[in-house]
Amino acid sequence: MAPSKKKHACSQPCVIPGGFTELPLQFSSDSSAQHRLYVKEHRVRAERSSHRPLDRTLFVLNVPPYCSEGVVKELFSQFGSVQSVELRDHPGSSQESGPKLSKVFKPAAKQGFKVGYVVFQDSSSLKEAKSHPHDEPLVVCTEQRPVRTGVQKWIQQYQQSFIQPDTLQQMVDSFMVEYDKRKEEVAERQRKEAEQQEEEDEGWVKVTRGPKGTKARPHSEAANKRALQKEIKKKKRKELMNFYTWQHRNTQKEHIAELRKKFEEDKQRIALLRAQRKFRPY
């Protein structure tokens, strides 16, 4: 009875501190050395991405260099249908800024251990992968799925590096179409921002009807700051207009006073000329 209990204990999954489950990995069936993968359910609440659903994504650590995305997909397909596999040098968000580049235009991938995100079609597949027995290693290279290493891998990579001119032209054309589309979107956004800024400078506010069912946004600190700056700018503009009005009114007063002064001087000059007249006809 003792051996059966020991065998039953070894068939249980191995869970290490941190919530990771240890999965043994073996390159081939006749290989004596084993590798360890550490898997855990992906639970990053801050990442709101549809590419990595929280209930169907498995986070994998310590992926060896000879395991490509296709190999990882085949390894985890025994637990259920795999939707997608993503291998990265470091854990991070799946959102990439800029246009999506083809593998031809991307820099060469770093050779080394990677982290992976395996997305299953069903959440039960994720639970089955986490409950995989510790004494049943995952085999990488089989007769149905041969994996090349060493010189054979280098030769295969060298042969795959050559691309047909037609295929390359299609990649370039699709990239340029996407680039032009993004450029037009940026230009349209800049034009709208310029119009909005011009309306704010003139003191006009453009009111438009939003989409049906949208809720009003709460006042944030940034929105309050922008409103305060707008009020300060409007107050300064009003003070400047009042200053110009006062200056114009003051100039008019000075002009009237100068005209009155000249009128009085002319009256005195006329009176003096009349007093100095020598010819008196009567």
Side-chain angles (χ1 to χ4, degrees), residues 77-247:
S77 294
Q78 58 181 316
F79 305 114
S81 300
V82 177
Q83 179 177 339
S84 63
V85 174
E86 182 183 2
L87 296 180
R88 300 174 64 95
D89 296 331
H90 304 284
S93 175
S94 62
Q95 298 178 355
E96 297 181 357
S97 59
K100 186 177 180 181
L101 300 177
S102 174
K103 63 178 182 180
V104 182
F105 304 102
K106 289 182 180 179
K110 296 180 180 179
Q111 298 296 329
F113 291 88
K114 298 182 180 296
V115 298
Y117 297 89
V118 181
V119 181
F120 291 99
Q121 294 282 358
D122 193 0
S123 57
S124 60
S125 304
L126 188 144
K127 297 178 181 178
E128 187 175 351
K130 291 173 60 179
S131 61
H132 183 70
H134 180 62
D135 56 348
E136 297 181 9
L138 305 177
V139 181
V140 176
C141 182
T142 61
E143 295 181 357
Q144 296 80 12
R145 187 183 61 250
V147 177
R148 297 183 180 182
T149 58
V151 178
Q152 295 181 354
K153 181 181 178 181
W154 294 344
I155 294 174
Q156 183 182 12
Q157 291 177 352
Y158 177 74
Q159 292 176 350
Q160 292 177 352
S161 63
F162 293 98
I163 302 177
Q164 298 297 329
D166 297 339
T167 306
L168 182 61
Q169 186 65 40
Q170 292 178 359
M171 292 180 181
V172 173
D173 293 341
S174 61
F175 174 79
M176 291 306 300
V177 169
E178 186 69 21
Y179 175 78
D180 293 340
K181 183 179 178 181
R182 289 174 57 87
K183 193 173 181 180
E184 291 177 358
E185 291 176 355
V186 171
E188 183 68 18
R189 185 170 64 251
Q190 291 178 352
R191 185 183 63 81
K192 290 182 179 180
E193 291 177 356
E195 290 179 356
Q196 184 178 1
Q197 184 66 27
E198 185 178 356
E199 291 171 356
E200 290 178 356
D201 293 341
E202 294 177 355
W204 294 91
V205 179
K206 185 177 181 180
V207 181
T208 57
R209 184 175 182 180
K212 187 177 180 181
T214 57
K215 297 181 180 179
R217 295 182 179 179
H219 292 286
S220 61
E221 185 177 354
N224 294 335
K225 189 175 180 180
R226 288 196 299 269
L228 181 61
Q229 290 178 355
K230 190 184 297 183
E231 290 295 330
I232 293 174
K233 188 182 296 184
K234 188 183 297 182
K235 187 177 180 181
K236 288 183 178 180
R237 190 185 302 112
K238 189 175 181 181
E239 291 177 356
L240 188 62
M241 290 177 62
N242 293 336
F243 171 76
Y244 287 147
T245 305
W246 171 81
Q247 188 180 21

Side-chain angles (χ1 to χ4, degrees), residues 20 35-40 58-64 91 113-116:
F20 286 93
H35 186 74
R36 294 291 185 271
L37 297 178
Y38 302 99
V39 300
K40 182 182 180 181
L58 187 69
F59 179 56
V60 187
L61 285 177
N62 207 27
V63 180
F113 291 88
K114 298 182 180 296
V115 298

Side-chain angles (χ1 to χ4, degrees), residues 66-77 82 84-87 140 145 147:
Y66 51 81
C67 287
S68 61
E69 293 184 354
V71 173
V72 174
K73 185 175 182 179
E74 289 291 337
L75 285 174
F76 286 91
S77 294
V82 177
S84 63
V85 174
E86 182 183 2
L87 296 180
V140 176
R145 187 183 61 250
V147 177

